[in-house]
Amino acid sequence: MTSIASIPVQMGIAAAAYHFPGELQDIEACAGQHNWPDARVQAIIRSGCRHFHAAPDIGEVELAERAMARLFDETGLKPADVGAVIHVHTQLFSVPAAPRSLPLELVSRFGIRPLWTGSVNQLNCSSNAAAIQLAGALMASYAELRHAIIVSVDRVYGERFRLRQMSGIQSDGAACLLLSRDCRRNRIGALALRNYGKWHQGSDTNAAVERDMINLEWHYTRKVMQQAVADSGVALEDYGCLLPHNSDHKGWISICKALDIPVDRLRADNILLKGHACCSDLAVNLADIGLAEVDAGRHLLSVTQSNSGAFSALTLHPVASHDAN
C-alpha cells in the first residue's frame, strides 16, 4: 500500500476536461447490430448502465488532442507552463503503433517542452493513481515544475469487448487532469494504491480470474477506501462526496451500505449517462461533479477498480480545511 503523503509536495487537481466522440448510444438499441447476448445486456442495464460513446473513425492521438485542447481552452493554461505530461491507458491497443509515441506527439502538437513525459499502464483503470504519484515525485525533484497534465485515452477494439462482464459498458474517449503545485483550489490528501498480481491476466478472457474477482473485488475495494480515509486524517463520515468509477451502480450502493455511507453522497449519475471510460472516469467525474463538490467545501473520496487486480482511492479536500488538519 502506498500513500501520496510520503511525497514532500503539496498538490491539488486544478482542473479536469474530457472528450467523448460521436452521439450518445444506447446498449439495448445497439445489441442486435453487434450480436450482444440479450441476457448479458439486460444484466448490464439492471446494474445501472445503459449509454456509451464509440469512436470507430477517430484515433487515440486525436481523441487525446481534443481533450487537451479543451483543458487549455477552459483553463487559460499556457503550454509553456506545463512541466510534465503523463499518459495513462487501459486497453493494450489504445496507443498508436511503434515507433510512434502518443505523449511525444501530444507535446509536439501543443508546443510543450516538458521536463518529463511518458506513459503508465498495466494498472488498467487504476493507472491514474500511479500517474498522480509520479507527478508528485517529479514536483518534489524539480522545484520549477508547477503543473503536470495526466492524459488518458482508451478505445474498444472489437465490439464484443465493449461489454464489461455483467456490470458495465465501455465508452471510447479521452480526458485530462491538471495537477498543480500549491493548488489553491483543493489539496490531494491521500492516495492509496493496491495491486494484486495474481489477477494480472485480467478478467475479460480468464474465467478463473473473473470468478475470483466476483468474490473478492468489493472486499479489496473496501480495504483501499479505508486505507485512504485513514491516511487523509478526515473521518469517513465527514466525506460529502463519493465518486465511483463508472460501472456497477448496484455494487457501489452495496458498499455504501456496508460502510454506513449515506447513499445520497454517492455521485453515480455518470454510470448511466456516460459509461465506463476506463482511466478517464476520474477526470470525467471530477469535471462534471467532483470539483464543484470540493469547491463547495466538501471532502471527496474517489475510488477505482480494475479488471487486472489494481484498486485505488484518492481523497481531495478544500484548501482551508485541509491546511487546518
Side-chain angles (χ1 to χ4, degrees), residues 27 31 36-46 163 165-166:
I27 182 176
W36 291 333
D38 184 66
R40 194 172 180 188
V41 168
Q42 295 307 317
I44 289 172
I45 291 172
R46 288 194 298 272
L163 306 187
Q165 285 79 50
M166 297 292 187

Side-chain angles (χ1 to χ4, degrees), residues 95-161:
V95 290
R100 295 177 61 189
S101 163
L102 187 147
L104 180 59
E105 291 188 28
L106 285 177
V107 298
S108 299
R109 158 70 174 80
F110 289 98
I112 300 169
R113 298 176 64 86
L115 293 164
W116 193 95
T117 188
S119 298
V120 175
N121 68 349
Q122 298 304 319
L123 295 176
N124 288 15
C125 301
S126 297
S127 294
N128 266 318
I132 292 170
Q133 290 177 321
L134 175 57
L138 289 168
M139 287 187 186
S141 298
Y142 298 96
E144 67 271 34
L145 198 165
R146 301 203 61 80
H147 303 287
I149 293 177
I150 298 174
V151 58
S152 52
V153 58
D154 276 291
R155 294 173 60 211
V156 168
Y157 280 82
E159 289 300 320
R160 68 190 182 95
F161 295 112

Side-chain angles (χ1 to χ4, degrees), residues 162-192:
R162 192 172 295 281
L163 306 187
R164 312 300 298 175
Q165 285 79 50
M166 297 292 187
S167 60
I169 185 163
Q170 186 182 323
S171 273
D172 300 340
C176 292
L177 291 170
L178 174 61
L179 284 81
S180 298
R181 180 195 297 268
D182 297 326
C183 179
R184 300 310 302 169
R185 187 173 188 184
N186 53 61
R187 287 281 192 273
I188 293 173
L191 191 153

Side-chain angles (χ1 to χ4, degrees), residues 13-237:
I13 300 177
Y18 63 87
H19 175 77
F20 282 127
E23 298 295 326
L24 191 66
Q25 300 193 41
D26 182 285
I27 182 176
E28 201 165 31
C30 296
Q33 176 187 353
H34 300 304
N35 295 314
W36 291 333
D38 184 66
R40 194 172 180 188
V41 168
Q42 295 307 317
I44 289 172
I45 291 172
R46 288 194 298 272
S47 76
C49 307
R50 189 173 195 110
H51 300 108
F52 66 98
H53 290 259
D57 302 317
I58 304 175
E60 290 81 10
V61 174
E62 184 176 351
L63 285 173
E65 286 178 348
R66 293 182 184 186
M68 191 173 285
R70 184 172 181 180
L71 182 75
F72 282 125
D73 182 62
E74 291 180 353
T75 63
L77 181 73
K78 298 177 181 178
D81 294 328
V82 178
V85 174
I86 307 169
H87 164 235
V88 296
H89 66 103
T90 291
Q91 305 298 328
L92 294 178
F93 295 102
S94 285
V95 290
R100 295 177 61 189
S101 163
L102 187 147
L104 180 59
E105 291 188 28
L106 285 177
V107 298
S108 299
R109 158 70 174 80
F110 289 98
I112 300 169
R113 298 176 64 86
L115 293 164
W116 193 95
T117 188
S119 298
V120 175
N121 68 349
Q122 298 304 319
L123 295 176
N124 288 15
C125 301
S126 297
S127 294
N128 266 318
I132 292 170
Q133 290 177 321
L134 175 57
L138 289 168
M139 287 187 186
S141 298
Y142 298 96
E144 67 271 34
L145 198 165
R146 301 203 61 80
H147 303 287
I149 293 177
I150 298 174
V151 58
S152 52
V153 58
D154 276 291
R155 294 173 60 211
V156 168
Y157 280 82
E159 289 300 320
R160 68 190 182 95
F161 295 112
R162 192 172 295 281
L163 306 187
R164 312 300 298 175
Q165 285 79 50
M166 297 292 187
S167 60
I169 185 163
Q170 186 182 323
S171 273
D172 300 340
C176 292
L177 291 170
L178 174 61
L179 284 81
S180 298
R181 180 195 297 268
D182 297 326
C183 179
R184 300 310 302 169
R185 187 173 188 184
N186 53 61
R187 287 281 192 273
I188 293 173
L191 191 153
L193 173 62
R194 185 181 289 270
N195 184 38
Y196 297 89
K198 63 182 179 180
W199 290 342
H200 73 278
Q201 291 178 312
S203 60
D204 283 351
T205 57
N206 188 300
V209 171
E210 182 178 7
R211 287 192 301 269
D212 205 19
M213 289 190 72
I214 288 171
N215 291 329
L216 289 171
E217 64 180 343
W218 290 105
H219 170 68
Y220 290 152
T221 300
R222 177 174 179 163
K223 288 180 68 173
V224 81
M225 291 170 67
Q226 291 172 324
Q227 183 65 54
V229 168
D231 288 350
S232 75
V234 176
L236 181 59
E237 58 265 27

